[in-house]
Amino acid sequence: MANTYVFSGFPGFLASNLVKEIFFEGYPVDRIYLIHLPSLKEQALGRLEELSEVMYVDTDKLTLVEGDITLKSLGLEKDMNVILQRDVTHFFHLAALYDLAIPLPESWNVNVQGTREVNRWLKNCSQLERYIYFSTAYVSGRREGTIYEHELIHNLGFKNHYEYTKYEAERLVEQEKAHLPITIIRPGIAIGESSTGETVKFDGPYFILNMLDRFKGSPLIPYFGEGKAKVNLVPQDYVLKATTYLAHVYKGEGKTYHLTDPSPYTAREIYKMFSEAFINKEPKLTLPTFMANRALKLRPLRTWVGMQQEALAYFNCESEYDTTETQKDLKGSGITCPDLAVYLPAIIEYYEHHKQNKRKHVSIF
């Protein structure tokens, strides 16, 4: 029997690429409904055109749907609402505001209120087989030490409003595990595709390359701080393949998965790897972290370097994300998180060829 999919968050990167992954892996598709904001209709049509150019994607099975997850019945037109609630088997909740510097009211409305409305809506779906909620590993906030997949509740605070609102949203989803067939996905910090280096935007860890590119003519490249914290970078293709697989296997129901690197490098190691691979220089000397924090308070410098001040916190918080459940349930699938050292050359090459037109704001999955 073919599946009927509904995605929130189209035409975003996640929705678009998970659609491609579902077709690529050969899952039986009856129809895929792609919910987009009315204001994003033109972008949605453009993304649909891009998908039509992918050989294995059957665009005849794709339907654009105007909606707004923050509204009752997800803002869907009445007849469409009836169709979707009657037919959906797999719901991917991807819509969210991912920017680390987003104000709290906006972030709360989309990430928390939107999730509350999605939860309510799904309770009236008669054929639902799986609800895939896309969270983040960083619902752990300022917690340090080992973070386990079954853990969520804490009172240690958060590094930004994005983390806080995703935490509150995941709490809402977690409460529905007894009533809905839920799979929660918690990715680490996204980096480019492991074989090609391709990425939609140069944010997150790319600030290191942005900075090295600006200072490559300097005779001395310094470290900033001791960099003892492990930084969890994951290639986009690993997140997409693992999410698609775990969304369709029976054992994924009721689980929460860390899609993080089981053997991450420290911030200092990553910085050294990037510097040596990109500008062929080994960093020397260590400057205190507060100097970078102080400098990044200046908007012109943030723009020039291509980094938000909020991103620094991810290189100082000493958290490690346990992936026991993920590795156990991915066993036999052929899906593993590759070592950063192996795919770094592809990341560097893609950056070098596209750096002029892709410097954007910092965000994480």
Side-chain angles (χ1 to χ4, degrees):
M1 184 177 174
N3 299 321
T4 297
Y5 299 89
V6 177
F7 285 81
S8 70
F10 195 78
F13 170 85
L14 282 170
S16 306
N17 285 276
L18 283 168
V19 166
K20 288 196 287 188
E21 189 65 28
I22 285 169
F23 278 111
F24 181 77
E25 294 296 338
Y27 290 101
V29 175
D30 180 49
R31 183 146 298 279
I32 298 179
Y33 294 95
L34 304 165
I35 299 177
H36 65 88
L37 288 167
S39 60
L40 295 179
K41 184 174 182 179
E42 289 304 312
Q43 292 96 314
L45 287 168
R47 189 57 58 89
L48 201 62
E49 183 65 28
E50 291 174 15
L51 288 171
S52 72
E53 296 171 4
V54 180
M55 181 178 63
Y56 50 83
V57 173
D58 183 354
T59 48
D60 288 339
K61 294 185 175 182
L62 302 181
T63 300
L64 293 180
V65 178
E66 289 191 5
D68 183 337
I69 63 164
T70 67
L71 304 177
K72 184 179 179 181
S73 299
L74 310 188
L76 300 170
E77 185 271 328
K78 187 175 180 180
D79 289 344
M80 181 57 71
N81 184 66
V82 170
I83 292 170
L84 266 56
Q85 288 192 321
R86 180 193 68 200
D87 294 346
V88 61
T89 60
H90 294 71
F91 190 101
F92 284 79
H93 181 24
L94 311 170
L97 292 180
Y98 295 101
D99 196 311
L100 301 185
I102 204 79
L104 180 58
E106 296 173 49
S107 189
W108 184 276
N109 188 46
V110 176
N111 296 351
V112 184
Q113 176 59 24
T115 298
R116 183 179 284 112
E117 293 297 339
V118 168
N119 290 349
R120 287 173 180 162
W121 187 86
L122 287 169
K123 288 178 182 178
N124 294 310
C125 295
S126 57
Q127 303 297 321
L128 188 68
E129 295 178 16
R130 192 65 58 85
Y131 170 21
I132 302 92
Y133 173 70
F134 215 83
S135 184
T136 171
Y138 299 98
V139 291
S140 59
R142 297 187 182 279
R143 285 187 62 196
E144 295 191 315
T146 302
I147 314 296
Y148 294 96
E149 290 159 299
H150 66 273
E151 295 178 323
L152 176 62
I153 305 301
H154 67 88
N155 60 1
L156 294 177
F158 302 89
K159 297 184 282 295
N160 49 63
H161 297 322
Y162 169 72
E163 287 186 349
Y164 171 54
T165 55
K166 292 298 284 183
Y167 169 83
E168 292 295 341
E170 187 177 321
R171 282 182 63 188
L172 294 177
V173 175
E174 183 69 31
Q175 290 168 9
E176 300 298 337
K177 277 186 174 178
H179 313 292
L180 294 169
I182 291 168
T183 298
I184 296 174
I185 302 294
R186 292 182 187 163
I189 302 174
I191 196 165
E193 206 272 343
S194 61
S195 60
T196 65
E198 184 178 359
T199 187
V200 176
K201 52 190 175 181
F202 291 142
D203 59 7
Y206 288 94
F207 93 85
I208 299 174
L209 295 178
N210 293 340
M211 185 179 68
L212 291 171
D213 190 46
R214 295 299 193 190
F215 292 105
K216 60 187 175 185
S218 171
L220 180 68
I221 303 296
Y223 287 105
F224 293 92
E226 294 301 319
K228 295 178 181 178
K230 292 183 178 180
V231 179
N232 217 290
L233 305 183
V234 282
Q236 295 167 1
D237 49 307
Y238 170 65
V239 174
L240 294 168
K241 288 182 180 300
T243 298
T244 303
Y245 176 79
L246 295 168
H248 290 89
V249 292
Y250 178 76
K251 58 190 172 185
E253 183 177 333
K255 302 280 187 66
T256 298
Y257 295 108
H258 278 153
L259 297 190
T260 53
D261 188 342
S263 303
Y265 292 92
T266 65
R268 191 179 187 90
E269 290 168 336
I270 291 172
Y271 186 76
K272 182 174 184 289
M273 290 163 65
F274 276 36
S275 184
E276 291 176 341
F278 183 40
I279 60 173
N280 199 30
K281 290 183 179 180
E282 181 180 350
K284 306 287 184 183
L285 186 65
T286 299
L287 299 178
T289 305
F290 78 84
M291 292 182 66
N293 263 310
R294 187 173 297 171
L296 286 171
K297 289 182 179 179
L298 304 173
R299 181 185 292 272
L301 184 66
R302 291 199 303 270
T303 302
W304 188 61
V305 174
M307 177 188 178
Q308 287 176 332
Q309 186 180 3
E310 289 84 355
L312 270 183
Y314 290 93
F315 297 85
N316 298 318
C317 188
E318 297 188 30
S319 307
E320 292 189 49
Y321 296 91
D322 182 78
T323 60
T324 300
E325 199 66 33
T326 299
Q327 293 187 74
K328 177 170 71 74
D329 285 359
L330 286 178
K331 190 174 182 180
S333 69
I335 302 169
T336 57
C337 184
D339 189 316
L340 174 63
V342 174
Y343 65 89
L344 183 60
I347 299 295
I348 300 293
E349 183 177 1
Y350 186 85
Y351 178 86
E352 186 67 77
H353 284 92
H354 299 86
K355 62 187 178 184
Q356 296 304 323
N357 57 8
K358 283 202 178 182
R359 284 193 178 121
K360 300 283 186 178
H361 292 299
V362 176
S363 63
I364 58 179
F365 264 151

